[in-house]
Amino acid sequence: MASSSGDDEFVVLVCSDPNNQIETDISNEEIVISTTDFSTWDYPSTLSFSTFKIQAHRNRLIEESSYFRGLLSGSFSESCLDYISIQWQLETFLNVVRCIFGFRLDITSKNFIPLFQAALYFGVEMLLMQLKSWLSEASLSKDPGLFQIQLEDLIDIWDFGLELDNGFVQEICASYLARNFMWAMSNKIFKDMPYELLLLCVKHPHLTIDSEKHLSDALLIWLHSNTEQLERSSKTECEFFDILKQIRISLLPLWFAAGKRSSISFSELANESVDSIFKLMKVTPKGSMNVLGDGDLSHLRIRLTKYSKKVDLSGCPQITPMILLLSFLPNNHNSYLALRKTIKESASNFEQADGTKCQITQSLLPTLSFEAVLEVDISGCLKLPLEDAIDYFSNSFPFLRRVKAAYLLNFKMTTLYRLIQKCSLVSEVDITVDVNPLISSQLSVISSSSAVVSMAPNRAYFVGDKFSMTSLYHLGPSLSNITKLTLEGRSDVCDSHIQYISKFCASLCYLNLKGCISVTDVCMANLIRRCTKLQSLLVCHTSFGMNSILALCNASPSFGNSPSAQFGKRPLDSLASNLQLLHMGGCKCADEASLLELLSQNQMLKSLCLRDTNLADSALCSFSGSLLEVLDVSNTMISGAALHHVVCTNPGLKCLNARGCKNLFQPENTKKEAKISSSYSCEELFIELGKTCRLEEIALGWGLSYFSLQALKPAILSLRAMTVCLGGTLPEDSLRLLPTTCPLLESLVLYFQVISDCMIINILTSLRQLRTLALCYCFGDISNSSFNLSMPNLRILKLERVTPWMANNDLVLLTRNCANLVELSLLGSKLNSDAQCIISHGWPGLISLHLEDCGEVTENGVSSLFNCIALENLLLRHNGSGIQRNFILEAASKMPMLRQVSLDVCDAKEGDFDLPDDADRYSLRIVKIARCKSTRCNVGSHFADTTRKPVHRETLVLVWNSTNVVRTVVKERL
């Protein structure tokens, strides 16, 4: 409430806005109000007047405002007047008066500066205190939207504080920005940040980021966006780029550091980062003492504050328990001494003479707790013993909810149980690995064998598995809060593991078993019956079949195993009726009848994948849902009429994949379905898509033509990804019009299309946001002029059988114009061994490289390609028979993130390759070695000799998981 004055003497403040140019109605020119009636003011209507006459207590004004104190109690002539004229912005001055008379103001980032200016001018200390209090509270907020301080307002407030030389305002702005840096860096005006504010923010102890990569990206974006400012500034360019030295380069992801080696502004730091990462990877527990040394260890501390919500360490193979513990300790000398002492004591208890196994105990250290951390990503952290990490997380992240640990083969199921027990609040776990390539039922297996592996030798630190599956199983289902579990690619997951999961993860809503080939259909059915809250189920390339479908389609958990006895019953409360996502691509065990029953109950589905299944028109037409956003029916036998039926009833469809559907636009089957009109024509599907849907992704082949693309136009205006496959025929005119038809396109993949320089140049010139371009087995003549323009946003480039002319000079041109590629695939070219150096220097951050039939790239062996240290997927086939025998072993050690290698014996210098054992394979998950046989090729009777052409014979495939390695020989070329 407003304070009342003991003195009844009033003064009238006549306030008008000198800058108000808005013409107002005469009736709204003036209003008379009193400070005694503040509580009854109609504030919005009051602001509609052009002049205020405010009756205010003279003494109150004198007490609370130095301006009015001097004016009304001094020797000025106005001191005896009853009317005082004020020229000020009306709303701001009205708020000043309200504050003087004891009302709490509604301060926002929009009115902060006007109020602060007015508070200084009129000398209202009470208002200054309110403003400072508001700004302090806003800066302490963990949610940047809580006080609605937008970044542009924060910059304005900073500039205002700088003008006033107000250190308080500057410090508060830097603090707020530091704590909400992840939010700020995603803002489009982040590049307008003043350098001094950015520098103060980056140096602030409360700087909160998910990872050092995010900080690096933000600073590089700012620097590149402020080139002109750098040129105009009195500071030298080096002074501005000194801000990059605040980055803790030892904690960058390997792929990121490797890629930045080609950056002009970051190359020096990137090289230092790579060197530091490899040094840390070689550190043993005993060597940790040398790493810690006696100096400042801040450069090895993961940035953690009480505001941290996510810790992203993905792609950092150098992260060790020492770095984790160091980051969990208070940042002071005593903590460092305690850590050194603990490591020294642990190192004295080596389990092996070489000191490769050691346990560092956290309980004796003064570790901190970060209660705001909800998510941790340790994917690819090869040096991090998972059991140790789980112990550390349970102590320092007590409210952890989400854990991602992808591509770590040493993450066993017992490790998962340990995580669930130690971090009891965790609700989402992702332990994805690469899917086994031997998942197709169409493969012809010549031989197969397996052997048990031991993971321990690869680990620099070790803690034994203290919890057996049996002991955890008996702890009961109340053990787990898991609602989302991703086991993609885990071929080591078997029925017994699934039984335990169904026991203690009864609250599962999302389950991804893609590629879990060791789990049976019966076991999946039992899990489905137990986990009655399932809404998302991904079971592509598994044994998912009739038993599992039966479990989904029946409400009661008690029924027999006979599918025929149960199909036909359609309870309203079945699990199938509640599913929102179902991906079962490649599941050949489900027959047409079971698919029909399943789809007839999927009313709530938003995402459906039936790729490579026994899907027929009758099953697809039985689909009862109307909420589909994603539909994948690729490589099935459905007709266009059946697909048309689904499109008509699902107007919200955004992603459609119907590639490889040979019957899609063929004449209808003789067996008619009641729901399919006999008068259907293939154009109707595209017309319906154009009228009904707004697609973001589409993949089509058979039937796609110029006319169908014209019909699709309304549906593809917002298209972001397009794939045209075998059977689709888009003339050059259609492809040339793609930039106007699909202006937002980010991914374009063309198979077997007619292309030309003119068409490609038009696409690359117009679609500047294009990130993926794949031209595979296309026809027509193109030259290097197609790629003679800058494409800085392109990340993935595949040129397969379209550039037979490509030589080293053309490859150099590509490295200059596509400087930011992370995936490259070249099939058919005329490169020589110097191409290795061109690739490794031009694209040092590649994570995937496929070179096949590319001349003589490997004729003299492989050397420079080892500089692509971040590679995760490497294919080298038919590029010259010079690859050394120990190549796989050398590649694994020099490319620590390498997970997949594909070679051909034709390229082996000594006729074969050494295969890695458990101790020296690092991240390797899959090795594929093809073998060819020679066949005589008669080139004409007028030639004296015949030539020999290599023809594929078989492929050796080695696949490692957490328990064994499977060695398989198949006839197919994989």
Side-chain angles (χ1 to χ4, degrees):
M1 293 181 60
S3 302
S4 60
S5 174
D7 190 345
D8 292 331
E9 185 179 356
F10 284 92
V11 62
V12 177
L13 307 177
V14 182
C15 181
S16 58
D17 189 348
N19 299 318
N20 188 5
Q21 303 297 324
I22 302 175
E23 295 184 3
T24 57
D25 192 287
I26 295 177
S27 62
N28 283 346
E29 281 190 352
E30 185 179 287
I31 184 174
V32 179
I33 51 182
S34 173
T35 55
T36 59
D37 301 326
F38 265 139
S39 58
T40 61
W41 280 12
D42 183 358
Y43 193 65
S45 63
T46 302
L47 295 176
S48 65
F49 290 85
S50 60
T51 301
F52 297 161
K53 287 186 177 180
I54 306 174
Q55 293 181 339
H57 293 282
R58 179 186 295 268
N59 284 354
R60 184 71 176 186
L61 292 174
I62 293 172
E63 290 172 3
E64 300 297 337
S65 167
S66 61
Y67 173 85
F68 288 113
R69 187 179 309 122
L71 192 65
L72 298 177
S73 63
S75 58
F76 296 103
S77 58
E78 290 88 347
S79 62
C80 58
L81 294 179
D82 292 332
Y83 284 79
I84 297 176
S85 177
I86 302 292
Q87 298 288 310
W88 207 267
Q89 200 275 332
L90 297 179
E91 183 178 359
T92 301
F93 183 72
L94 189 58
N95 277 322
V96 171
V97 175
R98 294 178 72 208
C99 178
I100 288 175
F101 284 86
F103 279 84
R104 190 78 180 179
L105 302 184
D106 181 18
I107 300 172
T108 68
S109 59
K110 299 296 183 185
N111 65 17
F112 177 85
I113 293 177
L115 286 175
F116 207 108
Q117 290 172 328
L120 291 174
Y121 183 86
F122 292 104
V124 183
E125 190 64 31
M126 182 188 303
L127 179 54
L128 286 173
M129 291 175 61
Q130 282 192 36
L131 290 165
K132 291 180 179 180
S133 175
W134 175 85
L135 192 59
S136 296
E137 291 177 7
S139 72
L140 293 173
S141 169
K142 297 181 182 179
D143 181 359
L146 186 60
F147 289 93
Q148 299 178 346
I149 303 181
Q150 300 304 313
L151 189 57
E152 56 266 31
D153 298 328
L154 191 71
I155 293 174
D156 290 339
I157 293 172
W158 162 270
D159 289 336
F160 174 69
L162 202 61
E163 290 176 9
L164 296 178
D165 195 21
N166 190 310
F168 169 80
V169 172
Q170 296 174 54
E171 167 59 25
I172 290 295
C173 288
S175 174
Y176 182 84
L177 182 62
R179 296 175 186 189
N180 299 290
F181 192 82
M182 295 298 297
W183 158 75
M185 65 174 284
S186 63
N187 195 298
K188 62 181 179 181
I189 69 164
F190 176 80
K191 62 182 184 298
D192 300 326
M193 186 86 61
Y195 175 79
E196 290 77 9
L197 172 58
L198 184 60
L199 182 62
L200 195 60
C201 162
V202 171
K203 290 183 174 182
H204 202 281
H206 287 160
L207 177 63
T208 303
I209 53 176
D210 292 352
S211 72
E212 290 298 312
K213 181 195 85 69
H214 290 93
L215 177 60
S216 304
D217 272 336
L219 296 183
L220 287 172
I221 289 172
W222 187 93
L223 287 168
H224 294 158
S225 300
N226 286 272
T227 304
E228 293 183 5
Q229 179 185 343
L230 298 180
E231 294 173 352
R232 295 194 306 266
S233 174
S234 59
K235 293 184 175 66
T236 65
E237 184 173 340
C238 290
E239 286 181 281
F240 273 101
F241 280 89
D242 275 348
I243 196 172
L244 296 176
K245 294 181 179 178
Q246 301 301 318
I247 299 170
R248 298 175 183 178
I249 58 174
S250 297
L251 302 179
L252 287 172
L254 178 60
W255 65 266
F256 181 84
K260 293 303 178 183
R261 288 185 297 178
S262 60
S263 168
I264 297 175
S265 57
F266 202 74
S267 57
E268 184 178 344
L269 287 176
N271 284 322
E272 291 180 21
S273 176
V274 169
D275 291 341
S276 178
I277 290 170
F278 274 89
K279 286 179 181 177
L280 287 172
M281 287 185 63
K282 296 176 182 178
V283 172
T284 63
K286 187 175 181 179
S288 299
M289 298 296 296
N290 298 326
V291 173
L292 290 177
D294 296 320
D296 182 22
L297 301 178
S298 296
H299 66 288
L300 291 177
R301 290 176 62 92
I302 300 165
R303 295 183 200 263
L304 289 169
T305 72
K306 63 180 179 180
Y307 301 94
S308 298
K309 294 182 178 180
K310 180 178 179 180
V311 180
D312 185 357
L313 303 174
S314 59
C316 295
Q318 72 275 24
I319 298 299
T320 63
M322 178 202 71
I323 292 177
L324 276 187
L325 284 177
L326 180 64
S327 307
F328 295 156
L329 295 174
N331 191 9
N332 57 53
H333 184 66
N334 290 337
S335 298
Y336 297 159
L337 290 178
L339 179 58
R340 291 186 185 102
K341 180 180 179 182
T342 302
I343 292 177
K344 186 176 182 179
E345 292 175 352
S346 301
S348 65
N349 298 317
F350 289 152
E351 294 181 17
Q352 291 183 351
D354 61 355
T356 57
K357 294 182 180 181
C358 174
Q359 178 180 358
I360 300 177
T361 306
Q362 184 185 16
S363 58
L364 301 178
L365 295 170
T367 52
L368 301 174
S369 178
F370 301 92
E371 298 183 355
V373 173
L374 301 177
E375 183 175 353
V376 169
D377 190 345
I378 55 172
S379 302
C381 293
L382 309 178
K383 291 275 287 183
L384 190 60
L386 295 169
E387 292 80 6
D388 288 356
I390 290 170
D391 288 342
Y392 301 162
F393 294 159
S394 67
N395 290 326
S396 292
F397 303 149
F399 295 100
L400 190 62
R401 294 293 194 277
R402 294 177 291 278
V403 175
K404 185 173 183 180
Y407 309 116
L408 296 175
L409 294 186
N410 57 334
F411 200 117
K412 301 179 180 180
M413 292 307 292
T414 49
T415 312
L416 174 63
Y417 305 145
R418 181 181 180 86
L419 170 66
I420 292 172
Q421 186 191 40
K422 299 285 287 186
C423 304
S424 59
L425 296 181
V426 166
S427 59
E428 297 180 16
V429 178
D430 183 351
I431 52 174
T432 296
V433 295
D434 297 297
V435 174
N436 190 327
L438 302 173
I439 52 177
S440 174
S441 58
Q442 300 176 0
L443 292 176
S444 303
V445 178
I446 298 174
S447 64
S448 183
S449 61
S450 64
V452 177
V453 302
S454 173
M455 307 300 298
N458 272 339
R459 297 167 59 181
Y461 302 79
F462 177 79
V463 178
D465 289 327
K466 301 176 182 178
F467 297 88
S468 68
M469 289 187 292
T470 304
S471 63
L472 281 167
Y473 176 76
H474 291 296
L475 290 175
S478 61
L479 176 68
S480 170
N481 287 308
I482 296 292
T483 59
K484 184 175 182 179
L485 180 60
T486 300
L487 302 174
E488 182 173 323
R490 290 278 170 177
S491 55
D492 50 333
V493 173
C494 59
D495 284 2
S496 60
H497 300 134
I498 296 300
Q499 290 171 13
Y500 294 127
I501 289 172
S502 64
K503 175 80 173 179
F504 61 75
C505 297
S507 298
L508 271 178
C509 298
Y510 176 104
L511 178 62
N512 184 348
L513 294 176
K514 179 181 178 180
C516 293
I517 56 178
S518 302
V519 180
T520 64
D521 181 33
V522 172
C523 185
M524 278 188 274
N526 291 333
L527 178 141
I528 290 170
R529 295 187 190 102
R530 282 181 174 270
C531 301
T532 57
K533 297 180 181 179
L534 274 176
Q535 294 181 345
S536 300
L537 187 60
L538 295 87
V539 288
C540 299
H541 304 296
T542 65
S543 300
F544 183 87
M546 289 188 288
N547 289 295
S548 298
I549 292 175
L550 242 148
L552 285 172
C553 293
N554 287 272
S556 173
S558 56
F559 52 80
N561 290 327
S562 173
S564 59
Q566 298 298 327
F567 284 148
K569 298 181 179 180
R570 298 186 179 182
L572 296 177
D573 56 345
S574 68
L575 276 175
S577 64
N578 293 320
L579 281 180
Q580 296 182 18
L581 183 150
L582 175 61
H583 289 189
M584 50 177 293
C587 294
K588 299 288 189 179
C589 298
D591 62 13
E592 184 178 342
S594 59
L595 285 175
L596 189 151
E597 181 71 18
L598 176 62
L599 293 179
S600 68
Q601 297 191 35
N602 289 144
Q603 298 93 339
M604 304 302 293
L605 272 183
K606 294 182 179 180
S607 182
L608 175 63
C609 174
L610 297 168
R611 178 185 68 251
D612 290 303
T613 62
N614 296 313
L615 180 66
D617 282 1
S618 58
L620 189 59
C621 288
S622 71
F623 179 65
S624 55
S626 60
L627 304 174
L628 268 186
E629 297 178 1
V630 178
L631 176 62
D632 185 350
V633 290
S634 55
N635 299 325
T636 61
M637 301 303 292
I638 63 163
S639 70
L643 186 56
H644 175 267
H645 166 75
V646 175
V647 170
C648 287
T649 56
N650 290 271
L653 195 65
K654 296 178 181 178
C655 304
L656 174 63
N657 187 344
R659 60 188 295 181
C661 296
K662 295 182 179 180
N663 293 341
L664 203 57
F665 300 102
Q666 299 296 325
E668 295 181 59
N669 298 331
T670 55
K671 180 180 178 180
K672 303 292 183 182
E673 298 297 335
K675 296 182 180 179
I676 303 179
S677 170
S678 60
S679 61
Y680 170 82
S681 63
C682 63
E683 289 83 7
E684 290 182 38
L685 172 61
F686 291 110
I687 293 172
E688 188 63 35
L689 280 168
K691 290 193 305 183
T692 306
C693 304
R694 293 296 176 265
L695 295 172
E696 296 178 2
E697 297 181 20
I698 190 168
L700 288 171
W702 299 99
L704 186 62
S705 65
Y706 171 82
F707 299 103
S708 54
L709 192 65
Q710 293 300 308
L712 272 175
K713 271 188 176 181
I716 58 179
L717 283 173
S718 301
L719 200 68
R720 297 188 180 277
M722 183 177 194
T723 301
V724 182
C725 307
L726 179 65
T729 307
L730 292 182
E732 187 175 340
D733 289 343
S734 294
L735 293 173
R736 191 181 293 116
L737 290 175
L738 276 181
T740 54
T741 308
C742 315
L744 303 180
L745 211 57
E746 296 178 0
S747 173
L748 178 61
V749 180
L750 302 178
Y751 287 91
F752 301 102
Q753 302 302 302
V754 178
I755 58 177
S756 67
D757 281 339
C758 183
M759 182 270 289
I760 295 176
I761 291 172
N762 180 59
I763 287 176
L764 296 180
T765 303
S766 304
L767 298 175
R768 303 305 295 170
Q769 72 278 14
L770 200 66
R771 297 177 65 86
T772 299
L773 176 64
L775 305 175
C776 306
Y777 302 91
C778 292
F779 312 104
D781 294 325
I782 64 172
S783 65
N784 61 2
S785 61
S786 291
F787 305 99
N788 196 16
L789 65 155
S790 178
M791 296 168 277
N793 291 323
L794 201 65
R795 296 293 185 271
I796 300 173
L797 179 62
K798 295 183 179 181
L799 302 174
E800 300 181 357
R801 300 298 184 193
V802 294
T803 56
W805 42 262
M806 182 175 286
N808 287 9
N809 290 339
D810 306 309
L811 192 62
V812 171
L813 185 68
L814 269 184
T815 62
R816 292 172 181 169
N817 293 324
C818 309
N820 296 313
L821 288 186
V822 294
E823 294 187 24
L824 174 66
S825 178
L826 298 177
L827 177 53
S829 65
K830 298 179 179 180
L831 305 177
N832 62 33
S833 57
D834 292 338
Q836 292 187 41
C837 187
I838 296 171
I839 291 172
S840 61
H841 279 80
W843 299 299
L846 282 178
I847 62 174
S848 177
L849 176 63
H850 287 195
L851 299 175
E852 185 170 358
D853 289 335
C854 287
E856 301 177 346
V857 175
T858 59
E859 187 65 32
N860 298 321
V862 177
S863 55
S864 298
L865 280 185
F866 289 133
N867 292 324
C868 295
I869 55 175
L871 275 176
E872 299 174 3
N873 188 326
L874 177 62
L875 182 148
L876 298 173
R877 283 178 172 168
H878 292 173
N879 300 306
S881 55
I883 301 181
Q884 50 270 39
R885 187 181 185 92
N886 68 340
F887 170 76
I888 299 175
L889 308 179
E890 193 173 0
S893 63
K894 293 183 177 180
M895 304 170 180
M897 308 301 289
L898 191 63
R899 303 197 307 270
Q900 298 188 47
V901 174
S902 301
L903 302 171
D904 197 301
V905 174
C906 292
D907 296 336
K909 185 176 181 179
E910 300 178 33
D912 209 344
F913 297 105
D914 292 333
L915 299 177
D917 56 26
D918 305 331
D920 52 17
R921 63 175 183 79
Y922 292 83
S923 295
L924 271 182
R925 154 82 166 157
I926 299 168
V927 172
K928 294 181 285 186
I929 301 177
R931 187 184 301 275
C932 295
K933 60 183 177 182
S934 297
T935 59
R936 292 184 179 275
C937 178
N938 195 335
V939 295
S941 57
H942 53 283
F943 288 102
D945 300 317
T946 58
T947 61
R948 288 186 174 273
K949 181 180 179 180
V951 176
H952 177 76
R953 185 174 73 181
E954 61 191 21
T955 304
L956 169 65
V957 182
L958 285 87
V959 181
W960 283 267
N961 58 38
S962 67
T963 58
N964 59 20
V965 55
V966 179
R967 177 183 177 128
T968 307
V969 179
V970 297
K971 289 184 179 181
E972 289 74 15
R973 194 166 190 263
L974 299 177

